[in-house]
Amino acid sequence: MPSVADAAPAVEGSDCPTLTDIDLVDLFGHQRMSLEAQPSHRYPNETLIYHGYLGCSPLYPTIAISIRTLANYRQCHRTCPRFSIEAQCKALCHLHNMPYRPYLNSQFSDTYDIYLEILHHVNYRLNEALHRNTPNWRLLNACPCCTYKLEDEPPLALEWLVSIDGNNSLKRWASSTYGVTPRQDSRKPRSDYWVDRASVDIFKDDVQRSPSQSNLDVQDDWEDSVTEPVEFEGSFNCMQRWQNARPEQRKRMFSVFDESGIFIAACRHWFVLLACDMVWSGELAKYPLALMSRLLSVYGANGGCAYDIGCAFTKT
């Protein structure tokens, strides 16, 4: 990858042979042809990328997929995560009037992984050239309306406003649910949108247990659960009337999910600032605490936060 990205200067004679009779797959076409290597090309995939394709193997590709086909699948998958590689391969087979074969999934998957790797390196080099690789650059420039200040602009009562909430639709089944041994995933997100599990778990013991439930073995119990109706006494306290923030043992959250959803923070102009995975639980207090700690460290203390169970959150 580095040797390809560094763009070696052209030299007389090429070590890369001409690619003959290679199978080229595109969204609207499927053909076999030969591709001539340029003088500076040392690897077959350099020749393929020069012609707008990416090979399914690094050194001896026999099949190549067009860059625009991979780009199209990336955008489709972003808008509909359930659109799988298998579905994409079956769609290509229908378009090209050919029978579907399961091995096509592996070929497309390998090529797509390399395509994403290339995009990552391109974005990394662009950010480095534009000096956008400093710590917290994205958070400090995510929303121009929220983060940019004008000359002689009067100070605001609240310099930044965010809203936070959890989503329990993006679930992922645990491997043990299917009776298979769980596999360790050592991969970590490259984007600074995500707050990792270790940073979230720092706050797992920061919530004090309420006296009314001190006899229960409740982890992360961050609200008072009132069973008797409470008369209105002056100021309104929704915690005494609503049960949104019940402890996790009283919610219908199943242990069959390895990830039960995500928790995000967004500015008032709908730009997503941070996100974290909710693991084996619903909206525990550690998730908003981890996100707010990060936002406070970047934006400062003069800000506001909207949360649908904010009255319970204020007790943490």
Side-chain angles (χ1 to χ4, degrees):
M1 182 69 68
S3 62
V4 175
D6 287 334
V11 294
E12 292 296 331
S14 174
D15 296 332
C16 179
T18 300
L19 299 176
T20 58
D21 198 29
I22 190 167
D23 205 358
L24 302 179
V25 179
D26 187 45
L27 271 175
F28 306 109
H30 179 219
Q31 58 184 334
R32 287 181 177 270
M33 62 183 302
S34 299
L35 301 176
E36 186 72 26
Q38 297 296 309
S40 61
H41 294 168
R42 290 177 292 175
Y43 301 100
N45 273 292
E46 290 183 86
T47 303
L48 288 171
I49 292 177
Y50 178 82
H51 291 278
Y53 291 85
L54 190 59
C56 296
S57 61
L59 297 179
Y60 304 102
T62 58
I63 298 177
I65 302 174
S66 68
I67 299 296
R68 69 176 180 179
T69 301
L70 298 169
N72 175 76
Y73 174 72
R74 176 172 176 257
Q75 299 303 329
C76 291
H77 184 69
R78 291 176 69 181
T79 54
C80 180
R82 291 174 293 181
F83 185 58
S84 63
I85 287 179
E86 180 182 4
Q88 174 67 61
C89 292
K90 289 183 177 180
L92 290 174
C93 289
H94 287 307
L95 288 171
H96 301 151
N97 294 319
M98 61 177 292
Y100 167 76
R101 297 289 185 269
Y103 66 82
L104 298 174
N105 297 340
S106 298
Q107 293 177 342
F108 192 95
S109 178
D110 294 342
T111 310
Y112 184 65
D113 286 342
I114 298 302
Y115 171 72
L116 294 180
E117 188 73 14
I118 292 174
L119 290 184
H120 168 71
H121 282 271
V122 170
N123 289 332
Y124 180 83
R125 287 172 175 258
L126 283 175
N127 291 334
E128 189 177 35
L130 297 173
H131 304 289
R132 295 180 177 180
N133 56 349
T134 55
N136 301 318
W137 186 92
R138 185 191 60 80
L139 275 177
L140 293 173
N141 297 271
C143 177
C145 300
C146 291
T147 57
Y148 292 178
K149 298 189 180 298
L150 302 175
E151 294 183 1
D152 302 324
E153 180 181 351
L156 302 175
L158 296 175
E159 295 182 356
W160 52 274
L161 293 172
V162 299
S163 58
I164 58 177
D165 202 2
N167 173 286
N168 60 4
S169 298
L170 299 175
K171 297 181 177 68
R172 183 171 66 86
W173 293 91
S175 300
S176 57
T177 306
Y178 302 99
V180 297
T181 304
R183 292 185 297 176
Q184 296 295 329
D185 189 354
S186 59
R187 295 175 299 176
K188 295 183 179 179
R190 291 168 169 171
S191 172
D192 59 351
Y193 278 100
W194 291 94
V195 179
D196 57 31
R197 296 186 183 184
S199 301
V200 172
D201 287 340
I202 294 175
F203 301 91
K204 66 180 180 180
D205 299 321
D206 283 9
V207 180
Q208 297 181 357
R209 182 170 301 174
S210 61
S212 62
Q213 296 172 346
S214 59
N215 60 337
L216 299 177
D217 185 15
V218 179
Q219 181 185 4
D220 204 356
D221 178 14
W222 54 309
E223 59 85 36
D224 291 330
S225 179
V226 179
T227 56
E228 298 295 331
V230 178
E231 297 296 332
F232 178 74
E233 298 177 358
S235 61
F236 177 70
N237 187 350
C238 64
M239 281 183 58
Q240 298 175 344
R241 299 188 175 217
W242 302 99
Q243 301 290 321
N244 292 33
R246 290 181 181 178
E248 290 307 304
Q249 283 78 358
R250 303 182 184 182
K251 288 184 179 180
R252 297 186 61 187
M253 180 54 59
F254 306 101
S255 60
V256 296
F257 298 113
D258 187 22
E259 295 173 349
S260 52
I262 62 172
F263 198 95
I264 70 167
C267 75
R268 60 195 181 104
H269 303 100
W270 300 357
F271 286 97
V272 176
L273 303 176
L274 295 172
C276 66
D277 280 321
M278 296 194 298
V279 183
W280 298 330
S281 66
E283 294 183 26
L284 298 180
K286 63 180 181 180
Y287 303 122
L289 285 175
L291 267 58
M292 289 305 301
S293 175
R294 178 76 182 280
L295 293 173
L296 289 170
S297 65
V298 175
Y299 294 139
N302 187 22
C305 173
Y307 192 14
D308 59 358
I309 49 176
C311 49
F313 188 48
T314 57
K315 297 186 61 179
T316 57

